[in-house]
Amino acid sequence: MSDELIISGGGSHAVATDEMLSNAANLLRAADMTRDIVGAIEMVDARLTIGQLESLGIPTAAALAETDLDYAHFALSQLASRAELMSGLVRFAAQAYGLGEAISESLIRRVAADAAAVIGFFFPAWAATVVLTSPLLPILASIGVAAFVLGRADPQLSDQKWMSTQLNELISDPAFVRALRYGVMTVDEFAAGAAGFPPSLVSALSTAGVIGLASSAGFIQRAGGVAGVLKETPVALKRTTQPEPVTAAESVEERVKRIPQPADERPEQVRIEKYETLGEPHRFEVYIAGTVDFAISGSTEPVDGTSNLSLAAGQQSGSIAAVAAAMREAGITSESPVTFNGHSQGAATAARLAESGEYNTTGVFTVGGNIGQIDIPDDVPTVIVEHTDDLVVAAGGLQDNRHALTVERHAFGGRTLPEGVPVPAHQLSEYRETARLMDQSDSRELQSAAHRMAVFGRGATTATVTSYYYERVQP
């Protein structure tokens, strides 16, 4: 169903729906409440003795009351124990399922990588054709599709029904999206095998992390540089808004709403909220927009297609340069507590900034980001929200940030895909709906994460927000 959330990670192997985890939490609460009642019965039973009841002239009732209290005490104690046991069993089932899924995913990943290396090695001519045509085809396809969702695509193209309903249904199928994730993860092994490296060597290099998604993106970037495209340039501040009063985001939905969506009248790509408290370091919330323009050359937009490849390759991107410059303008230093929030490319930018270790990152919150292979530090509290029918998410490969609390939703499960909207599950409006469901969940995992994010900006003496617009400096 489209309103069902799947929760995983957060330092645990557990994988379960928010309903399961909510029920487990409710069972624990029921056990605690029942034990409180048992305690009250024990107190009454200790103070109300048979002698006291007989002195009131009700000896028969005294015996009956004692029996009833003993029975109630036993029954409620049993009920509390069973509720606690059921809660534990639900969580054990979630842990067992998650552990099994992690093991199977690891095996599938290894088999797929080795198979890709073998295919490339034994069928080099065919493999070379595919690799030379596009060694990073899955990522490029995902980015191309996303252009019509997030970017300023050609209006004439945007108005045309260039994508059939059947194709949109295919690429929005969770099974296809998951297969694409594995495909992205095996591109390097495939290319290495085609280049003549023995499959055993390719397997060893892959296991050691020498080859992977970043090296594939790096190859594309270097090849593009030879062709005169995909070249990074400096960025310059073109416009900034005046600081305005703001209050901290109290809900996950409100947090998603604050992620910028640049338009002609409001082109700012970065929003920074500053919280000042007397005697404490200033705290900052940084919100980063998704891709604005998918051009790979000649664009003045730093949050563009070139930045997408640079982020995948782990290189300095125009989007990182713009956000870092905005942070300096806002007064953020390496010691300032800062939380990063982003959607799509903004999510990847946020993850790379946290990964850099150059900032005092107190949290990362991403929606719809292709960040599976970006190594967010384990000590940074992280919430990752993904739709299982979002093709763009798959461009980041499998999600390896196990410490992060990951929330998944099949956005269009049981719903008809809207016409004329490619990859509708990537729309920020759909992620706002997921955030609303997160806010309504009784899962203690989600409640804890939401509380941690909300308290970051509370208690400030002064709170202001400023937005920034940057452009690339073309040679």
Side-chain angles (χ1 to χ4, degrees), residues 146-147 149-152 256 258-263 267-270 287-294 301-305 307-308 311 319 323 341-350 367-370 392 426 428:
V149 181
L150 298 175
R152 293 172 178 168
V256 175
R258 296 188 183 191
I259 297 174
Q261 290 186 279
E268 295 84 8
Q269 311 102 329
V270 186
Y287 294 86
I288 311 167
T291 306
V292 180
D293 185 343
F294 272 77
E301 174 58 56
V303 190
D304 62 357
S307 286
N308 268 318
L311 287 165
S319 57
V323 176
N341 309 267
H343 170 237
S344 194
Q345 186 183 150
T349 304
V367 295
N370 48 338
V392 177
H426 191 64
L428 194 56

Side-chain angles (χ1 to χ4, degrees), residues 33 37 56 59 67 168 184 243-244 266 270 341 363 386 401 448:
M33 292 173 62
I37 297 172
L56 297 175
T67 302
N168 204 17
V184 167
E244 299 177 356
R266 288 296 304 269
V270 186
N341 309 267
E386 299 178 340
N401 289 294
S448 176

Side-chain angles (χ1 to χ4, degrees), residues 136-143 171 173-187 213 368-373 386-399 408 423 426 431:
L136 208 58
L137 184 60
I139 287 183
L140 296 180
S142 300
I143 289 173
I171 64 174
D173 188 320
F176 178 85
V177 171
R178 187 160 184 81
L180 181 58
R181 281 196 167 201
Y182 281 103
V184 167
M185 297 296 294
T186 59
V187 169
L213 180 58
N370 48 338
I371 63 171
Q373 296 301 295
E386 299 178 340
H387 289 159
T388 59
D389 44 351
D390 182 353
L391 185 73
V392 177
V393 168
L398 296 170
Q399 185 55 256
E408 294 181 305
V423 200
H426 191 64
Y431 279 102

Side-chain angles (χ1 to χ4, degrees), residues 252-253 256-257 259 261 387 409 427-437:
V252 182
E253 182 180 10
V256 175
K257 285 181 179 179
I259 297 174
Q261 290 186 279
H387 289 159
R409 169 178 167 243
Q427 294 281 0
L428 194 56
S429 59
E430 285 299 325
Y431 279 102
R432 280 202 293 266
E433 173 62 14
T434 302
R436 185 187 67 80
L437 294 171

Side-chain angles (χ1 to χ4, degrees), residues 13 96-109 402:
H13 285 294
Y97 177 83
L99 185 60
E101 186 176 71
I103 292 172
S104 64
E105 180 182 283
S106 178
L107 290 173
I108 293 172
R109 182 187 300 197
R402 300 295 183 183

Side-chain angles (χ1 to χ4, degrees), residues 435-457:
R436 185 187 67 80
L437 294 171
M438 291 169 65
D439 288 327
Q440 293 180 346
S441 173
D442 290 328
S443 161
R444 72 183 184 188
E445 287 82 0
L446 291 183
Q447 289 181 344
S448 176
H451 175 73
R452 177 188 57 75
M453 290 189 290
V455 299
F456 180 74

